[in-house]
């Protein structure tokens, strides 16, 4: 019985050594095989960057520049769809005249579009 356990133990040891030796040996592809398997994923991230992330960053930059350039007398559209003329500008808020004598205070971030001068008279 003792011989059986000894033989069984030795056979397991031989198989384990062979298995370890096979996994550590370099395959036919080597490093290039691993790189080519990740190439589609890398390519997908590059395409995602140029189609989605980069244009969004550009729009945010343009929106920030537009908000910093707002001045008294500019005609704007708010995120709620109100059109009006800027009467007063502060750090975080803007007072917009929506009609003769009616003024509202909105956050600067609520301004979505800067209209060309004279647009409100044409409406």
């Amino acid at each position: 019985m003792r011989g059986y356990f000894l033989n069984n133990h030795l056979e397991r040891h031989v198989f384990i050594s062979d298995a370890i030796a096979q996994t550590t040996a370099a395959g036919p592809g080597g490093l290039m095989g691993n790189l080519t398997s990740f190439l589609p994923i890398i390519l997908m991230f590059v395409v995602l960057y140029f189609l989605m992330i980069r244009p969004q960053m550009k729009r945010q930059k343009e929106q920030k520049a537009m908000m910093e350039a707002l001045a008294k007398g500019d005609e704007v559209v708010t995120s709620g769809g109100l059109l009006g003329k800027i009467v007063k500008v502060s750090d975080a808020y803007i007072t917009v005249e929506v009609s003769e004598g009616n003024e509202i205070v909105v956050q600067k971030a609520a301004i979505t579009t800067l209209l060309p001068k004279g647009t409100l008279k044409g409406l």
Side-chain angles (χ1 to χ4, degrees):
M1 188 73 161
R2 183 174 179 190
Y4 172 74
F5 287 118
L6 186 59
N7 277 342
N8 195 10
H9 177 70
L10 288 175
E11 287 177 9
R12 282 190 204 152
H13 183 60
V14 170
F15 288 131
I16 291 172
S17 297
D18 290 342
I20 291 172
Q22 287 177 356
T23 58
T24 58
L31 181 60
M32 286 303 290
N34 290 336
L35 185 61
T36 56
S37 66
F38 285 113
L39 190 62
I41 295 172
I42 294 169
L43 184 63
M44 188 171 63
F45 279 112
V46 169
V47 169
L48 179 74
Y49 175 77
F50 282 107
L51 290 180
M52 296 180 75
I53 298 171
R54 190 167 177 237
Q56 179 65 25
M57 289 171 54
K58 186 177 178 182
R59 279 192 296 268
Q60 286 176 346
K61 189 176 182 182
E62 290 171 355
Q63 181 76 9
K64 183 178 178 185
M66 188 259 315
M67 282 194 288
E68 290 174 354
L70 291 175
K72 182 177 177 180
D74 288 341
E75 297 176 358
V76 295
V77 178
T78 66
S79 60
L82 294 173
L83 283 80
K85 185 183 244 182
I86 296 177
V87 177
K88 180 179 158 188
V89 178
S90 65
D91 289 336
Y93 297 96
I94 294 178
T95 304
V96 178
E97 183 180 40
V98 290
S99 66
E100 192 72 33
N102 292 326
E103 296 178 353
I104 59 170
V105 179
V106 296
Q107 291 181 336
K108 270 189 175 181
I111 304 299
T112 58
T113 309
L114 182 62
L115 299 172
K117 300 265 185 193
T119 304
L120 293 178
K121 288 182 183 176
L123 295 176

